[in-house]
Amino acid sequence: MPPTGVGIIGASTSGWASIAHVPAIAATPEFALRAVSTSRPSSAEAAAARYGVPAYHDHRDLIMHPGVDLVVVAVKVTEHFKLISAALDAGKMVYSEWPLGNGLAEAQQLADRAAKAGIRTVVGLQGRYAPEVRYARDLIRDGYVGKVLGTTMVGSGMVWGGEVADPSQAYWFDNANGATPLTSATLHALDPLHFVLGEFGSVAANLVVGRKQATLATDGSTVPVTVPDQVSVIGALDGGAAASIFYRGGVSRGDNFRWEINGSEGDLVLTAGWGNMQVAELTLAGGRGADSAVQPLEVPASYLDGVLAELSRSAAGGVARLYRQLARELADGTRTVPDFAHALGRHRLIDVIERASATGTTQALGPSRMMRSQA
């Protein structure tokens, strides 16, 4: 069977696609990079030289490339709707980086269009594929912690701090652009939490704009901050366990990521020095019974899932594992990889969290949630 041809929109020689998607595709023989596109002729020329494939500065040329079966959209959230719509109109499979759209309405339209056309879709919520996350999930299912009583998660967004490296990054600080500590770092972490422990049954929240401005490192000028950079979410999971999540903008001098799962018989702790857990190098520790403290737990080799060692501990590791799972599902016809329907459910969760914060009242989540937590 020939490999699935991939075209990446947003594949300049720097940025997320070059760091994660290009090496992940190269390490997955079921896929082959066939074309890339960027926003300018000069960057397209540089990309063609780097990757050895046709490069365009118009996304429509990439979408219509006959060798491209799967279109990857790895650009700013504000561009997602237009680019994904064009790919869906052409009947191409689409892999969208998370968030799917700039707000719930865009996500709803994209999910509806993909479903109506019967097009296979993927959304980049790869944190659930971390070996430590999947092993923790299995340990819990096997009774390692007994009954799950509660979970706490604290993390740093790593961006959204008091300083902006250059003007292009000011995009992150405008709430209208849809790339916020809640929609990005927090939801990238909440998706694995729900994958391991189940969904929220109810949720309360407090979203606070702590920093009102950030300083440009290039010239000392300031940019206004309208994104809530302090995100507090408290809820009850469907199984009855209590959950508390706190994400802050910037970097902490303490722990940038710590996730505890506490049970009647034991505890599990996942930590990392980097707060964006979808690209973080996680460590897993556990303790149970008579143990007085948690100790490191070695993740069995079977959880590495065939991903090359040099990729497994890199930013490309989670993306490579997602591509690996997608390859299996394209071959056998199953569908567990997070898709646009799953992404729509996560956008609905964002909407509920924002409503809980705005109203100051706990929100119940109904049975219409479209999640694949058990995939």
Side-chain angles (χ1 to χ4, degrees), residues 132 135-136 139 144 267-269 283-287 295-300:
E132 296 79 9
Y135 186 40
L139 286 172
Y144 184 92
D267 306 281
L268 291 171
V269 181
T283 60
L284 175 65
Q295 298 295 329
L297 296 178
E298 183 176 354
V299 178

Side-chain angles (χ1 to χ4, degrees), residues 13 16 25 33 37 69 73 79 134 236 253 260 314 361:
T13 55
W16 176 242
I25 292 166
L33 184 63
S37 73
D69 308 300
V73 177
E79 301 297 315
R134 298 184 85 83
R253 295 175 181 84
E260 288 201 22
S314 73
T361 59

